[in-house]
Amino acid sequence: MKKLMEVKDLCKTYVIEKQQNNVLKNVSFDVEESEMIGIMGPSGSGKSTLLYSISGMDKATSGQVMFDGKEITALSEKELSSVRLNDMGFIFQQMYMMKNLTIMDNILLPAIECDKNAESRKDKVARCEDLMRKLGIIEIAGNDINEVSGGQLQRACIARSMVNNPKILFADEPTGALNRQSSAEVINEIKKLNAEGTTVLMVTHDAKVASNCSRILYIADGNIKCEYRMPEGLSERDRERALNNWLMDLGW
């Protein structure tokens, strides 16, 4: 399978009150096309920093990130913005939606700004509507963001992240603010997108959520200590049990 991303010796250091804080320390791993990878580890281990650094949302101190033939760590901010808009999708625990726009307009906005598709606005609206139907939220298209449930709003965030057909989806605790039912609904939608070919890289503290991934990277003290490849053919319950046993062996 083709490599979509290669991370080599990635470091991220913050200087706070003249003290260096090495959040990431020589992190290296590869991501293949159509993988669904979970990133787990203790609080403060560098999970979110890793996600932001490899996506170009935060500038790495040193190291290299290759994404689809481009060296992310060498691009200008303008070039990075273009890559993120056209080829990457993002879902966060905090659902960053514009309060003055409807759900539909929030989802449509990245499509309007995208420069890789020579579509009319009408075509982009139709594509957004199709995506919202697929995610079961077309009925809230005209609603304000404070008029829908948390699960509906997170599915709207998924629709927004997928509207430009990204090659990779970054998710940072996408179910952290949801109840168990809404969490299951959101993860099912992410799994469907992955099954259709979208590569997914997801930070989560929830073993039930992570058990849906084919591979889990465990990060501690700023570095990836080990990884777990989920055995094929297991039931949902057995996947979660197998992952929990692995995490217990690590002292989770």
Side-chain angles (χ1 to χ4, degrees), residues 66-79:
M66 296 295 298
F67 170 70
D68 197 33
K70 303 181 184 74
E71 186 178 351
I72 293 293
T73 38
L75 297 180
S76 67
E77 187 53 47
K78 183 177 180 180
E79 291 169 327

Side-chain angles (χ1 to χ4, degrees), residues 10-14 21-24 49 53 58-61:
L10 196 71
C11 297
K12 179 63 182 179
T13 300
Y14 294 103
N21 183 13
N22 299 315
V23 182
L24 299 178
T49 301
S53 295
D58 196 3
K59 187 173 179 61
T61 304

Side-chain angles (χ1 to χ4, degrees), residues 97 103 107 137 140 151-161:
M97 290 278 197
I103 296 293
I107 295 170
I137 53 171
I140 63 168
Q152 288 174 318
L153 190 57
Q154 193 62 300
R155 276 182 279 164
C157 291
I158 294 174
R160 182 184 58 185
S161 74

Side-chain angles (χ1 to χ4, degrees), residues 66-182:
M66 296 295 298
F67 170 70
D68 197 33
K70 303 181 184 74
E71 186 178 351
I72 293 293
T73 38
L75 297 180
S76 67
E77 187 53 47
K78 183 177 180 180
E79 291 169 327
L80 277 172
S81 295
S82 178
V83 170
R84 288 194 296 263
L85 177 63
N86 295 314
D87 296 321
M88 297 177 175
F90 298 88
I91 307 173
F92 304 99
Q93 180 176 347
Q94 299 299 322
M95 304 171 200
Y96 299 109
M97 290 278 197
M98 298 185 70
K99 296 180 180 180
N100 60 326
L101 298 180
T102 64
I103 296 293
M104 176 65 179
D105 286 340
N106 266 287
I107 295 170
L108 182 62
L109 187 59
I112 297 299
E113 295 180 345
C114 181
D115 57 12
K116 73 176 182 179
N117 296 319
E119 296 176 305
S120 66
R121 183 184 177 92
K122 182 179 179 180
D123 288 338
K124 291 178 179 181
V125 168
R127 185 156 53 84
C128 287
E129 289 175 342
D130 286 343
L131 189 55
M132 293 180 75
R133 288 190 188 93
K134 182 179 177 181
L135 290 165
I137 53 171
I138 188 63
E139 73 279 0
I140 63 168
N143 288 49
D144 292 334
I145 64 172
N146 60 353
E147 296 176 332
V148 299
S149 69
Q152 288 174 318
L153 190 57
Q154 193 62 300
R155 276 182 279 164
C157 291
I158 294 174
R160 182 184 58 185
S161 74
M162 295 303 299
V163 72
N164 289 334
N165 298 313
K167 295 176 181 177
I168 190 168
L169 177 63
F170 295 101
D172 188 11
E173 299 283 8
T175 63
L178 302 178
N179 60 37
R180 183 58 71 181
Q181 180 179 344
S182 294

